[in-house]
Amino acid sequence: MAVKKLSKEKLGEALGELSKFRLIAPAKSDDVVVFKQIGDAGEAFLGYGNSTVPPKKFAFPQTETLFRFVVGNPELNEKNVEEEGTTVIFGLRPCDARAMAIVDKLFSWDFEDPYYLKRRELTTLVGMACVEPPSVNCFCASVGGNPFGTEGLDMLLTDMGDYYLVQELTDKGKKLAETLSAQLEDAAADDEKKAEQMALDAKGKIRRSIDTAGIPEKLPDLWENELWKKVSAACLGCGICTYLCPTCHCFDIQDEVEEMGEGRRCRMWDSCMFGEYTVHASGHNPRPTRKERTRNRINHKYSYYPEHFEVIACVGCGRCINLCPVNIDILDILDQVVDAS
């Protein structure tokens, strides 16, 4: 695939060209950075570390109507995801793109989710390499990622100072480069080597790490271990660790009847850290306390997912550490797993 460059002077022009699609980009919202649909190139804010909320909602909306119905009428008015049009998510970090590739495995596993998969098919991911770690708690390299990683991406941009190095990675990326042909220029012969060195330097700047070797195999033997009570003692059960996690994908489905007998079946994010999540119709709850729920969260990411999909369901973005109101640290938990006997 070709390597081009995009002058920063032409960034606005390029985003304007991409606005013919549903263009999603990082933008400031009060004191945080979020991904949102932009209509003006000036709204994009690329000088960010990482967004507070990952851009997963553009593939897996927080609340989504699956179909509408009228009580007593067997005909369903199904949602047509194609009406949302082609989407370009511009400037996301490699960890968030890799998270989508990991979640793709779940939504195309035993049942192919038509809503999620169609939306993914219509979405092109343009990543922004992490020249500097977005936060002190990044640990992507410990879980198979890379600050310059390309998994899940269609195009990767690297900030080279006055311009971005633009690497086409897939046919979608190539098609997008064709759309931007008036803004892209040929890259210098040594740009790729410069970027390779920057990637090595960026990996060396990551401060936190965990050796995950053996953790997936060890976790089942720690089911009744006292560590779960200890590491969950401070948990408030707020669920922020799961809502801000780019790989968490739990959801609930509800039927809501509205006025005049019309209604909808909708899907909305849920969290395995909520007590109601596993309550049975009988009232029994197999995860009655935060101890069981914390144990499930860690096992899901580091044992169940690797068992089914041969990949850890954590990309090391560090959001769950950065934003936990009581400073629960998943790396500390994993250290205790490693040390437990």
Side-chain angles (χ1 to χ4, degrees):
M1 293 287 181
V3 178
K4 301 282 186 178
K5 73 175 186 179
L6 172 65
S7 165
K8 288 187 177 179
E9 293 180 351
K10 292 187 176 179
L11 176 62
E13 187 180 321
L15 291 174
E17 191 67 29
L18 295 180
S19 65
K20 66 176 64 172
F21 307 115
R22 179 180 177 234
L23 178 59
I24 311 297
K28 288 184 177 179
S29 177
D30 295 326
D31 294 331
V32 300
V33 174
V34 298
F35 276 82
K36 58 179 283 190
Q37 183 171 358
I38 62 170
D40 182 342
E43 294 181 78
F45 178 65
L46 299 180
Y48 77 117
N50 206 353
S51 60
T52 300
V53 182
K56 67 178 179 181
K57 69 177 182 181
F58 297 102
F60 174 42
Q62 187 165 355
T63 300
E64 176 177 25
T65 298
L66 303 179
F67 58 79
R68 301 191 67 82
F69 58 86
V70 176
V71 176
N73 186 340
E75 293 187 9
L76 304 176
N77 182 11
E78 293 191 53
K79 179 172 185 174
N80 183 359
V81 174
E82 292 190 31
E83 291 178 354
E84 296 176 4
T86 301
T87 297
V88 175
I89 303 181
F90 190 93
L92 78 167
R93 294 301 183 188
C95 59
D96 286 338
R98 182 165 181 261
M100 289 193 190
I102 290 173
V103 175
D104 288 350
K105 298 176 186 295
L106 184 283
F107 282 111
S108 58
W109 177 40
D110 56 344
F111 175 78
E112 294 191 347
D113 186 296
Y115 308 96
Y116 177 89
L117 295 178
K118 175 55 70 175
R119 199 172 280 113
R120 287 285 287 123
E121 179 186 331
L122 294 171
T123 301
T124 300
L125 301 182
V126 180
M128 183 69 71
C130 299
V131 176
E132 298 288 337
S135 92
V136 69
N137 288 314
C138 291
F139 59 99
C140 64
S142 296
V143 286
N146 188 302
F148 279 55
T150 59
E151 185 178 356
L153 286 170
D154 300 297
M155 176 181 282
L156 177 67
L157 273 59
T158 300
D159 189 339
M160 306 292 281
D162 296 332
Y163 61 94
Y164 297 103
L165 188 68
V166 180
Q167 295 173 268
E168 302 169 12
L169 302 170
T170 66
D171 289 340
K172 283 184 182 177
K174 183 179 180 181
K175 190 173 180 181
L176 203 68
E178 291 170 357
T179 301
L180 298 174
S181 59
Q183 290 77 39
L184 297 180
E185 306 169 59
D186 290 336
D190 61 346
D191 271 348
E192 282 190 87
K193 284 190 176 180
K194 287 181 182 176
E196 288 173 6
Q197 184 58 52
M198 291 171 68
L200 289 173
D201 293 344
K203 196 171 181 180
K205 294 175 185 175
I206 296 174
R207 298 182 187 179
R208 302 201 65 189
S209 63
I210 181 75
D211 183 358
T212 60
I215 289 179
E217 296 78 13
K218 187 174 184 179
L219 277 168
D221 294 332
L222 300 178
W223 190 255
E224 299 295 344
N225 196 287
E226 282 296 308
L227 79 89
W228 302 117
K229 183 176 181 181
K230 181 180 174 184
V231 301
S232 64
C235 179
L236 302 175
C238 67
I240 195 169
C241 53
T242 54
Y243 270 55
L244 299 183
C245 174
T247 65
C248 278
H249 50 265
C250 291
F251 60 83
D252 189 17
I253 290 182
Q254 295 183 8
D255 288 343
E256 298 178 347
V257 177
E258 302 163 344
E259 295 180 1
M260 305 298 290
E262 295 185 4
R264 66 169 185 162
R265 175 162 294 179
C266 52
R267 170 165 67 182
M268 60 282 292
W269 293 0
D270 204 342
S271 171
C272 63
M273 296 303 292
F274 292 160
E276 297 84 355
Y277 182 76
T278 46
V279 175
H280 295 180
S282 65
H284 171 65
N285 190 344
R287 299 179 201 148
T289 74
R290 288 187 280 275
K291 182 190 81 171
E292 292 85 7
R293 298 195 278 275
T294 299
R295 179 177 64 190
N296 174 73
R297 175 175 164 246
I298 301 300
N299 272 272
H300 185 193
K301 292 185 175 301
Y302 282 85
S303 178
Y304 309 150
Y305 217 89
E307 180 181 349
H308 285 292
F309 303 116
E310 300 181 336
V311 63
I312 290 171
C314 170
V315 293
C317 68
R319 288 186 178 94
C320 62
I321 305 172
N322 294 336
L323 296 160
C324 175
V326 291
N327 299 319
I328 291 176
D329 187 324
I330 193 171
L331 290 179
D332 288 344
I333 295 174
L334 294 171
D335 280 337
Q336 293 187 51
V337 168
V338 171
D339 293 338
S341 58

